[in-house]
Amino acid sequence: MKRKVIFIIVVGLFVAFTAKLTAQQVHDISVDAGSPLFEIQPVMWGVFFEDINFAADGGVYGELVKNRSFEFTHPMTGWEQVRQNAIGRVVPTFYSPANHNNPHYVVVHADAAKGAFGISNQGFRGMGIRKDNLYNLSVNARISSGSGIRMKAELISSDGTVIGTSEILDLTRDWKKHEATMTSSATDPSAKLQLLFMGLGSVDLDMVSLFPADTWKGRPGGLRKDLVQMIADLKPGFLRFPGGCIVEGRNLENRYQWKLTTGPVEERKLITNRWNSEMRNRPAPDYFQSFGLGFYEYFLMAEDMGAEPLPILNCGMSCQFNAGEVVPLNELQPYIQDALDLIEFANGPVTSKWGALRASMGHPESFNLRYLGVGNEQWEQQYIERYRLFEKEIRLKYPEIKIVSGSGPYASGAYFDLAWTELRKLDPALIDEHYYMAPEWFLNNAGRYDNYDRSGIKVFAGEYAAHGKEGPAPESRNTWLSALTEAAFMTGLERNADVVHMASYAPLLAHVDAWQWRPDLIWFDNLNVIGTPNYYVQKLFSTHRGTHVIPALKDGDPLTGQDSLYVSAVTDKASSMIYVKIVNVSGETKQLRLNFSGASLQKDAEMETLKARGLYDYNSIANPKNIYPFTRPVTVSGKKLQLGIEASSVNVLKLSVRK
Ligand code: AHR
């Protein structure tokens, strides 16, 4: 017993002693608000949108019907026959001369003097339907034989209950767009749409479409509100679209062609989404691009969010990880013309050919396009040779456009070095760098840009994410560890904002039941959307962007991992705020004493913190706020502030400058 008491006392003393030692390790950091080092671009923190993981069709694009125009490789994908005490046949048919881009339709032969026969659509892994919400249905239809046939639309819940209904009685012998509305009596993440026919005869059907009435900005046929809001909440400086590898295509035929994504939606020609079969372990044979979310809609989305549009165009090369097709240099002109025409589409007067198209779609005003990317993730001389030709012609006609070039898929190595060497001889405004690396890489690279040429081409950190441990749950790769290490790295991007002008995490969105790639910034299902810890890290930086970088130094050096601490500081001239980002990647609390100069500070300040219980914790649809920022007040004493920075935490200290 006596020995036990002595042991407890010794352990107690040891704990007290080490706690005291830890408390004594105070890091003195000087923050000089009076010496702004350089400006931070308003576009610094943006978003990378690619139609991967069902981000567009089945995601942001509000359409609930999958394969609405029967153009998938198998025209009945997503559709099933429905027999209600009646029989019939459904015949996919080719070719509707009325629409060359969308030639398929189906003929429904109904033998339903009693009962009903029809088809149902399963949506994108089900349809997310909400109680008391209004849904807009539209169907192109004509009676091809028989008469007196009636059509009824129904929303069916996953247990087979009718939760919404509407009748279309005026079917005619000519093609006509029929519209109806339905209000749902229940919420269901996996509902179906059913079109039923009563009577004897045949009806031709095309473009069967169902949208929630409540879309982003209330636009008919618009975007899913909760998803766009989640992106908009980041206050992104730019919106990069449409990718990603989707720009390149698996082969050239499969490349993204912006012109095919404009004009009336029913005339936009659908293509296979390249992520349909890209990932052998995650096949998605029902993944196509309807282009309902096309270039016009991307520009609108950027404008709505106050983000600069940053379209990326194919440079005459398909994905080098796939077919690697390359357009001969003497046949590249149509590709370059696409780029010139896109600038006219975005900015040209309504009297110009492409400006007139923009106006006809509802936006006579310019979209003020200032950035344009040429090529996504290309490498070797093949890219440089093609990039050079694009640059020459864009410069000649539109010298004001900032051209974004690329350094390939890797963060270093031969392709990367060759791209930088060759592009330095040319005149891009920015070079896009990609890094999908282990969490440790992000910790070790917080100083990556410290030695970049300050007067050279600027960097667009266009795709990055820490790729680490993963578990069976889709969201499980978005661990706290990945977010924490990205935050540490991002202090380096911010500290070097004179070199790094733009940055975006990638990819942006993923459907939990239909993903191909992870981790991703935002996960969603048919009714819910959640921010990952990585999302909240991005948000902490992008919503506390500031206007100028200011020095935050320990013993004259920036903190790039010394004693597991990463620090960067900015001032916001417009709001007279100072934001200090402090990342502690160690497993213990660190004591910091911040010594401010160059500004007198208000006593009352705040600190917003993001942390988790464990490094492998993550947010999920079931537990969306497992890792979520919280704010606490802190008090500045004169020009000093002593803070305990919690273990494994990301923090933004917010200080008001006295005017
Ligand atoms: O973000 C996912 C993919 O990663 C992008 O499509 C591509 O550019 C990169 O390889």
Side-chain angles (χ1 to χ4, degrees):
M1 180 64 188
K2 204 172 153 200
R3 280 173 61 184
K4 199 171 171 194
V5 170
I6 293 171
F7 175 74
I8 291 169
I9 293 171
V10 169
V11 169
L13 282 175
F14 177 74
V15 169
F17 178 69
T18 48
K20 189 146 180 274
L21 262 191
T22 311
Q24 281 167 352
Q25 288 174 345
V26 179
H27 295 275
D28 266 298
I29 296 172
S30 60
V31 179
D32 185 357
S35 306
L37 297 170
F38 33 76
E39 258 184 65
I40 300 163
Q41 301 299 310
V43 288
M44 177 75 186
W45 307 111
V47 289
F48 162 96
F49 189 103
E50 175 166 21
D51 188 5
I52 183 173
N53 305 317
F54 281 49
D57 288 346
V60 157
Y61 185 47
E63 176 64 85
L64 293 166
V65 177
K66 182 170 74 183
N67 192 15
R68 64 185 172 189
S69 58
F70 308 98
E71 301 300 326
F72 283 18
T73 312
H74 300 290
M76 290 309 289
T77 300
W79 294 94
E80 274 177 0
Q81 295 188 14
V82 183
R83 292 185 181 84
Q84 292 185 351
N85 303 318
I87 53 169
R89 285 175 296 126
V90 181
V91 184
T93 304
F94 191 81
Y95 159 101
S96 155
N99 188 346
H100 295 274
N101 286 338
N102 174 14
H104 291 87
Y105 60 96
V106 292
V107 185
V108 180
H109 299 284
D111 189 351
K114 285 192 191 138
F117 176 79
I119 53 175
S120 77
N121 188 276
Q122 64 186 200
F124 298 89
R125 311 296 195 264
M127 291 179 185
I129 298 291
R130 288 174 206 277
K131 187 173 188 299
D132 296 333
N133 278 23
L134 188 69
Y135 292 87
N136 294 328
L137 172 77
S138 69
V139 185
N140 288 355
R142 70 173 173 195
I143 296 178
S144 45
S145 73
S147 63
I149 195 154
R150 290 168 299 129
M151 180 168 115
K152 183 164 74 172
E154 288 179 342
L155 287 173
I156 307 293
S157 71
S158 12
D159 68 2
T161 311
V162 177
I163 55 173
T165 185
S166 184
E167 292 223 358
I168 294 175
L169 304 170
D170 58 340
L171 291 172
T172 60
R173 293 209 162 263
D174 294 321
W175 280 109
K176 184 176 156 194
K177 181 172 178 177
H178 297 268
E179 292 178 311
T181 57
M182 286 184 275
T183 300
S184 174
S185 58
T187 293
D188 199 299
S190 206
K192 284 187 205 170
L193 170 71
Q194 202 159 271
L195 298 180
L196 295 174
F197 297 89
M198 287 79 66
L200 300 175
S202 307
V203 177
D204 300 349
L205 294 176
D206 203 357
M207 276 304 278
V208 181
S209 171
L210 184 73
F211 276 87
D214 189 17
T215 55
W216 168 254
K217 301 274 175 199
R219 295 202 180 94
L223 307 183
R224 191 175 141 179
K225 200 172 160 184
D226 57 344
L227 282 186
V228 184
Q229 189 59 54
M230 194 79 176
I231 305 169
D233 287 346
L234 288 169
K235 301 204 183 336
F238 64 89
L239 172 70
R240 168 180 168 165
F241 58 87
C245 290
I246 208 140
V247 170
E248 305 165 14
R250 299 195 72 171
N251 53 29
L252 279 170
E253 201 195 336
N254 181 234
R255 75 190 189 278
Y256 198 102
Q257 300 183 60
W258 76 266
K259 286 177 182 165
L260 304 183
T261 76
T262 54
V265 284
E266 55 278 11
E267 288 172 21
R268 298 182 192 175
K269 192 174 161 64
L270 165 145
I271 65 169
T272 308
N273 186 305
R274 66 156 293 153
W275 297 104
N276 171 310
S277 54
E278 183 76 32
M279 302 305 203
R280 246 180 269 157
N281 59 338
R282 301 281 312 164
D286 58 342
Y287 201 4
F288 287 75
Q289 291 182 270
S290 73
F291 296 120
L293 174 62
F295 258 46
Y296 177 79
E297 290 77 18
Y298 279 122
F299 276 115
L300 263 192
M301 183 161 49
E303 184 174 83
D304 287 343
M305 296 192 297
E308 292 266 359
L310 169 52
I312 308 284
L313 294 183
N314 186 294
C315 64
M317 298 175 75
S318 76
C319 180
Q320 287 159 285
F321 290 115
N322 286 283
E325 291 173 355
V326 173
V327 178
L329 292 179
N330 60 4
E331 292 173 24
L332 198 61
Q333 197 53 37
Y335 289 73
I336 299 175
Q337 194 57 47
D338 273 358
L340 300 174
D341 292 344
L342 178 65
I343 301 169
E344 185 177 293
F345 175 73
N347 297 351
V350 296
T351 47
S352 64
K353 177 178 171 192
W354 295 102
L357 173 62
R358 181 191 71 242
S360 75
M361 294 182 75
H363 203 285
E365 310 79 22
S366 160
F367 278 121
N368 296 316
L369 176 68
R370 299 195 309 133
Y371 296 87
L372 180 66
V374 175
N376 172 46
E377 204 174 58
Q378 271 66 52
W379 62 81
E380 273 296 339
Q381 285 296 351
Q382 294 174 323
Y383 172 59
I384 304 297
E385 287 164 355
R386 279 157 191 80
Y387 170 80
R388 181 184 291 122
L389 299 180
F390 273 81
E391 185 186 281
K392 189 167 161 230
E393 291 209 34
I394 297 170
R395 281 267 164 283
L396 208 60
K397 194 157 180 203
Y398 297 106
E400 71 282 8
I401 293 289
K402 292 182 194 245
I403 307 175
V404 179
S405 61
S407 58
Y410 307 117
S412 58
Y415 294 156
F416 180 87
D417 293 342
L418 180 123
W420 266 95
T421 307
E422 293 300 319
L423 289 167
R424 272 194 203 101
K425 299 177 196 158
L426 296 163
D427 193 22
L430 295 120
I431 297 183
D432 182 8
E433 297 189 354
H434 294 180
Y435 16 85
Y436 296 104
M437 305 295 276
E440 302 74 49
W441 184 93
F442 284 85
L443 294 184
N444 297 334
N445 276 271
R448 176 180 173 92
Y449 295 109
D450 291 355
N451 299 319
Y452 267 51
D453 177 4
R454 313 327 279 183
S455 57
I457 305 168
K458 302 306 171 193
V459 170
F460 169 32
E463 293 185 33
Y464 64 89
H467 281 202
K469 195 176 141 178
E470 54 196 319
E475 312 93 316
S476 66
R477 210 178 188 194
N478 284 98
T479 59
W480 174 238
L481 178 65
S482 70
L484 181 69
T485 57
E486 286 156 11
F489 176 75
M490 287 166 74
T491 62
L493 299 182
E494 183 170 86
R495 216 164 21 75
N496 286 285
D498 55 335
V499 167
V500 183
H501 277 194
M502 302 168 107
S504 44
Y505 180 100
L508 181 63
L509 292 166
H511 191 302
V512 287
D513 298 322
W515 59 274
Q516 294 78 50
W517 177 295
R518 64 178 177 170
D520 304 284
L521 202 61
I522 296 168
W523 286 91
F524 62 95
D525 64 14
N526 289 342
L527 290 176
N528 305 286
V529 52
I530 64 140
T532 58
N534 317 70
Y535 171 89
Y536 291 110
V537 162
Q538 291 291 321
K539 196 171 172 196
L540 282 181
F541 279 76
S542 63
T543 56
H544 302 101
R545 175 176 53 83
T547 54
H548 294 80
V549 175
I550 55 174
L553 306 172
K554 180 177 185 304
D555 303 328
D557 290 320
L559 281 112
T560 57
Q562 302 91 312
D563 198 22
S564 304
L565 287 167
Y566 298 78
V567 177
S568 59
V570 303
T571 177
D572 191 311
K573 291 252 161 104
S575 60
S576 300
M577 293 294 292
I578 295 172
Y579 302 121
V580 187
K581 281 113 188 169
I582 309 165
V583 183
N584 174 8
V585 300
S586 78
E588 58 186 17
T589 299
K590 301 279 174 188
Q591 294 298 325
L592 261 62
R593 188 161 42 228
L594 295 152
N595 305 293
F596 295 93
S597 59
S600 58
L601 303 175
Q602 305 274 12
K603 188 164 75 54
D604 297 325
E606 270 188 352
M607 187 143 93
E608 195 171 343
T609 298
L610 193 58
K611 66 182 187 105
R613 276 177 293 275
L615 287 175
Y616 297 105
D617 285 8
Y618 57 90
N619 289 346
S620 62
I621 300 273
N623 192 1
K625 294 189 174 168
N626 187 28
I627 301 165
Y628 195 72
F630 61 90
T631 300
R632 66 183 164 104
V634 290
T635 308
V636 184
S637 151
K639 296 206 164 188
K640 288 196 189 311
L641 176 61
Q642 181 147 352
L643 287 170
I645 302 295
E646 293 182 68
S648 299
S649 68
V650 177
N651 307 271
V652 180
L653 178 63
K654 309 175 198 184
L655 306 135
S656 307
V657 174
R658 272 184 219 273
K659 292 190 187 141

